[in-house]
Each structure stands twice: as C-alpha cells, then as structure tokens.
Amino acid sequence: MNSDFQCTVRPTPEPNAELERLGEQIAELSAHLDAASARLLDLIREFDARGGWGNGFSSCAAWLTWRVGLDRGAARERVRVARALGTLPLLAQALARGELSYSKVRALTRVATPEAEERLLAVGRAGTAEHVERIVRGWRRVDRIAEARESTRRHRCRALHVYQDEDGMVVIRGRLAPEVGAVLVQALAAAREMLYQRAQATHGDDVPAETPTVAGQQADALALVAETALHHGIDPGTPGERYQVVVHVDAPVLADPDAPGQSVLEDGTHVPAETSRRLACDATRVVMQHDAGGHVTEVGARTRTVPPALRRALQHRDRGCRFPGCALPFGQGHHIRHWAHGGPTTLSNLALLCRRHHRAVHEEGYQVERQADGELRFRRPDGRPLPHLPPPAAVPSDPVNALLAAHDAQGLQVHARTAMPGWLGERLE
Ligand SMILES: [Zn+2]
Ligand SMILES: [Zn+2]
C-alpha cells in the first residue's frame, strides 16, 4: 500500500490568559452589536412602515443601500427581518438582550410564525448558528409542502358569484387567488385614477356636487375596467405592447406643460401634460399635422425619439438608472432638456432613468441637470440637492465604548456568555 500522506500540525495554543480575555472580548462586543442590531431593526421597521423611504426610492431596501451603503441583498434582508420581528416579540427581545445573534434571528425569521415562535426561540437558544440553519431548512421543506397544498386549495376554491338582488342591483361576491386579486386591485386603482382625472378635467378644482364614497368609486372603477376590456376585445396583447399607451398631444403642450392644447389618451381621456412629456421623452412617435379644422394634412414616418444606435451608446455609458441610489440595469432615455423644447437627442442631453424615476423627474418635481464636468446633479422637489453619496452619519470617536456606555445606561446586562448556545455536544435530532 502506498501510504504517502502529509500531516499539518497546528500548534496547540498554550492556555493563555491573555488570549482567553481576547476571546471573551470578541464574544462580549458581538453580543453588544447584536443588541444594537435589534434597535437598528426597530428603527428600520418604523421607517419602513411610515414610508420614510418614499421620497424618490422604490423601496426601503433601496433607501438603505443608498443611505447606509448596505449591498442590496443585505438591505432587503434587514427589511425582511425587521418586518418579521414586528410580530415576533420573543425573538425580538432575545436579540435586543444580545442573547441570540443576528445570524440566528435572521435564519429563524424565515420560518417563524407567532404560533411557532416559542419553539423556535428554544432552538435558537440551544443550538449553534449552524444547527439553527439546518433546522430552519428542514422546517421550510415541511412548510413548502404545506404551502403547495394551501395554494392548490386556494386555487380550487376560487369563485365569483354575480347575481341580481330583489331591487335589481347586481351583487358580486368572490374569492380570488392573491396574485389574481392583485391584478384586479391594480386595474381598479388605475381606473379610479382615470376617473379622478376625468372629473378634474371636467370640474377643475371645484368639488362636484356629490363626491362618491370610496365604495362608490370602486364600483365606477369596475364598470370602467369592464368597458375597457370589451372595448379592446379582451385581448391582453403581446408583452411588448400590453401596457402601451397612445397619447395625442399638441406640440405647444409638449414644449410647455402650461400651454393650452390637448394632451389626451386614445379614448379621449385627458392626461397631465407632464405625463405626456414623460411618455414622449423616449417613445415611438408619429407626427401628424392638422389644419385649423382638425383634419390631418400630413402624417410623418414612424420614428423612435432615441434611435437604436444612440440608445445602445446611452445604455453603455449609463449602465442603468442614474437616479441616486437606484442603478436598475435598464431604463428609458430621459431628455434633460426636452426635445419638444429644443433639447437635442444627443448623448450629453440624455440620461437613463428607470420607469419609477422617470416619473419622479417629470411628475414629482425632482430635477436633474448636467454640470460642466459632465456629472449629473439631482435635486429634490424643494430644490435641496440629492447627492449620489449621502454624507456619513456622525460616529463618536470611540464607537465601541459609546455603544457599551449606551447599553449600560439602558441597564442592559451583556457579557461574553450572553449568546452562548446551550448545546453541550449531544446528538442533534
Ligand atoms: Zn423624460
Ligand atoms: Zn431608477
């Protein structure tokens, strides 16, 4: 037998009081950091729930990425854990006392429900982070089977009943799968918005004699959704054109949102001038000329506002949305100075913005300009700058002691054994 092997011998550390102290310090500070994480998650949960990130960001995680420099995955995970802990007080308190590490809590919140919380807390206390991870994976598998069963059950019991009441009113009652319900809710919201804009266009700012209740508005919205569906032959269209919007807009309105003139959708619905400017910013357009009587006298060729070669160059230069903190990898070509206003369709006058932020810049009052050095500068609606990199938060000169002192002041008892697993090496079931 060929027994050629190598052996690496690691020096067995001498029992060394100094090293032991070092280890204890690591454990103690880690427990402090976990306790501080609990406080951080509380703040994130409140900020998230109160929509503090809604000033130009698509989500709380996107805001965290921008404001505190977390990577996207970590930011999403913080928000997820923060939300989960809102209904899991036992796990939240264990983290706040530094008894469970953030890693364990993160794993446990993937499966924890208020009913299972106490059992999972015991798992978290007894096991190492690795045990917890393994138990959670097993828990999830069971969970996924239950989930699949639940989804089948939901699908089977979907129903919509439409019947006529004694007084002739039509009553609708139903149960829709969540994703189907979401589409319906979205369609109703879009229809309500449309009806609201129609009402604005008709009545201006004076309140019409009778403002319908929310339930009444929903009923009107459903009627509009149904009409629209029939009008379009119940054809969802190919994905590319499914949400395509056709806007008829007078040239002066495009150049100046305050100019009189029409800005209407295909069916005659008025849309705000800024919306038509956004839609026209990067679109396929057909220029038609009308005579004074409204008759079309000339129809130009269908052209893209941003030609394909320029779009490729734009994509290559900007790589994604340029709005601070966004960086979605695709977007629309925004004319910094609108083409209808004489802005050229050139690389230096274009900036890539995602759909969400294109709206922010047109309809929500955010401003963007290109500075002499070629960099973009964004401003909030109130004119304050929106930097790409926010200034760092003030940190005490000795953050570790400041943290320990703050925990002391709260009366929090954290020491090196606070987060010790109860596991003594016995076999794990
Ligand atoms: Zn634009
Ligand atoms: Zn964006």
Side-chain angles (χ1 to χ4, degrees):
M1 238 208 186
N2 196 346
S3 60
D4 187 57
F5 72 99
Q6 278 192 325
C7 178
T8 314
V9 182
R10 231 178 252 162
T12 316
E14 302 276 312
N16 179 329
E18 195 194 320
L19 274 181
E20 214 159 274
R21 248 198 334 273
L22 191 57
E24 298 294 284
Q25 273 177 15
I26 291 173
E28 185 182 334
L29 182 55
S30 295
H32 273 289
L33 291 176
D34 287 327
S37 294
R39 176 72 188 128
L40 179 64
L41 292 170
D42 283 344
L43 298 178
I44 291 175
R45 180 168 56 253
E46 185 179 349
F47 189 74
D48 177 40
R50 295 175 59 187
W53 47 268
N55 49 359
F57 291 88
S58 55
S59 66
C60 188
W63 183 88
L64 280 174
T65 299
W66 172 75
R67 189 64 186 83
V68 298
L70 288 177
D71 74 61
R72 265 161 202 282
R76 271 199 296 269
E77 191 67 354
R78 288 298 150 94
V79 176
R80 183 192 65 74
V81 176
R83 287 180 186 162
L85 288 182
T87 57
L88 301 167
L90 299 180
L91 290 178
Q93 285 152 19
L95 180 66
R97 287 192 301 262
E99 289 168 10
L100 282 191
S101 71
Y102 174 67
S103 298
K104 285 182 180 179
V105 169
R106 202 178 73 171
L108 292 170
T109 50
R110 281 193 225 120
V111 294
T113 54
E115 302 77 54
E117 189 185 8
E118 209 169 331
R119 272 186 299 152
L120 285 165
L121 176 65
V123 166
R125 280 212 174 111
T128 64
E130 204 187 357
H131 294 152
V132 170
E133 190 63 48
R134 199 161 8 123
I135 287 167
V136 162
R137 269 202 303 275
W139 206 293
R140 285 188 103 178
R141 213 177 36 244
V142 175
D143 222 51
R144 220 172 302 144
I145 297 168
E147 215 169 57
R149 213 180 293 131
E150 173 63 11
S151 135
T152 313
R153 187 193 64 75
R154 280 199 200 127
H155 185 68
R156 281 218 197 94
C157 73
R158 73 196 187 284
L160 189 71
H161 306 280
V162 180
Y163 54 90
Q164 211 161 25
D165 219 348
E166 290 144 20
D167 64 352
M169 295 292 275
V170 172
V171 181
I172 299 174
R173 253 192 64 232
R175 290 171 61 82
L176 302 178
E179 65 280 9
V180 180
V183 175
L184 178 69
V185 168
Q186 207 182 335
L188 289 175
R192 270 171 63 188
E193 174 67 22
M194 183 72 67
L195 291 171
Y196 171 76
Q197 280 171 9
R198 269 188 202 171
Q200 287 279 301
T202 327
H203 303 282
D205 279 335
D206 7 309
V207 186
E210 185 200 2
T211 313
T213 61
V214 173
Q217 289 171 26
Q218 290 284 70
D220 297 342
L222 184 60
L224 179 60
V225 168
E227 272 168 28
T228 311
L230 290 177
H231 179 69
H232 290 282
I234 313 196
D235 174 16
T238 58
E241 61 184 19
R242 192 171 292 178
Y243 302 110
Q244 183 178 298
V245 182
V246 179
V247 196
H248 297 271
V249 54
D250 287 343
V253 177
L254 264 190
D256 174 5
D258 294 328
Q262 70 163 359
S263 165
V264 294
L265 296 180
E266 190 89 299
D267 65 354
T269 312
H270 173 84
V271 291
E274 262 308 342
T275 303
S276 55
R277 278 162 67 85
R278 169 167 57 83
L279 296 173
C281 210
D282 182 0
T284 304
R285 62 179 149 140
V286 178
V287 177
M288 294 183 210
Q289 285 185 359
H290 303 255
D291 62 16
H295 306 289
V296 176
T297 54
E298 203 186 327
V299 179
R302 203 179 149 88
T303 54
R304 296 249 16 142
T305 314
V306 181
L310 186 55
R311 171 177 304 282
R312 278 193 294 277
L314 177 64
Q315 179 70 44
H316 179 77
R317 186 197 63 190
D318 286 359
R319 293 215 162 78
C321 177
R322 297 296 313 276
F323 201 88
C326 181
L328 262 189
F330 41 83
Q332 305 170 329
H334 169 65
H335 285 71
I336 295 168
R337 187 178 161 84
H338 204 282
W339 57 260
H341 218 234
T345 301
T346 55
L347 212 44
S348 63
N349 190 41
L350 287 171
L352 210 57
L353 292 176
C354 71
R355 187 183 289 270
R356 164 81 189 77
H357 289 128
H358 200 189
R359 171 179 280 278
V361 163
H362 278 279
E363 283 119 304
E364 292 169 18
Y366 285 83
Q367 300 142 44
V368 54
E369 63 201 17
R370 196 178 292 285
Q371 294 172 282
D373 61 2
E375 283 301 305
L376 293 176
R377 184 161 63 190
F378 286 82
R379 289 181 178 284
R380 300 171 212 262
D382 60 9
R384 281 181 305 141
L386 184 64
H388 279 275
L389 203 63
V395 173
S397 59
D398 185 351
V400 172
N401 277 328
L403 178 62
L404 303 195
H407 282 159
D408 258 357
Q410 283 172 31
L412 189 64
Q413 302 284 321
V414 173
H415 51 76
R417 320 227 130 220
T418 305
M420 272 276 277
W423 185 57
L424 298 172
E426 64 273 45
R427 232 182 94 84
L428 197 71
E429 289 301 327

